[in-house]
Amino acid sequence: MIHPYVPQIEKEFIPNKECVFYNRWDFRSLDALITYFLGLDDYRQEIASAGMERVNKDHTLLNRCEELLKVVL
């Protein structure tokens, strides 16, 4: 996943291992990252798999609801 950087996102995903970040609205940088990763099939797949694993572990709707209930209750 290539995602725009937002403050604190590195607490949710390990940079360049589970997700790759670019500066929001910097489409030249985004284009360069896409071009770069298109040439690196194995590395791209490693990041995609690690990111998907993290999402399935920590960022499902159920996880979000549990966090919301902790805050609300």
Side-chain angles (χ1 to χ4, degrees):
M1 176 169 67
I2 300 176
H3 192 280
Y5 178 81
V6 293
Q8 308 298 316
I9 196 169
E10 63 276 358
K11 291 182 177 182
E12 305 298 329
F13 294 96
I14 300 170
N16 300 319
K17 181 173 178 173
E18 298 172 333
C19 189
V20 175
F21 306 116
Y22 70 97
N23 291 325
R24 185 177 299 278
W25 308 117
D26 184 355
F27 297 113
R28 287 182 190 207
S29 174
L30 174 59
D31 182 58
L33 284 170
I34 291 169
T35 300
Y36 174 74
F37 281 104
L38 282 175
L40 299 172
D41 293 338
D42 292 341
Y43 185 37
R44 184 178 71 237
Q45 188 57 46
E46 262 181 53
I47 293 171
S49 294
M52 182 63 93
E53 190 174 311
R54 173 57 74 98
V55 167
N56 287 331
K57 178 178 173 267
D58 296 328
H59 302 296
T60 64
L61 182 58
L62 184 58
N63 296 121
R64 300 292 185 196
C65 290
E66 287 174 354
E67 288 296 315
L68 178 63
L69 288 173
K70 287 178 188 174
V71 172
V72 173
L73 300 177

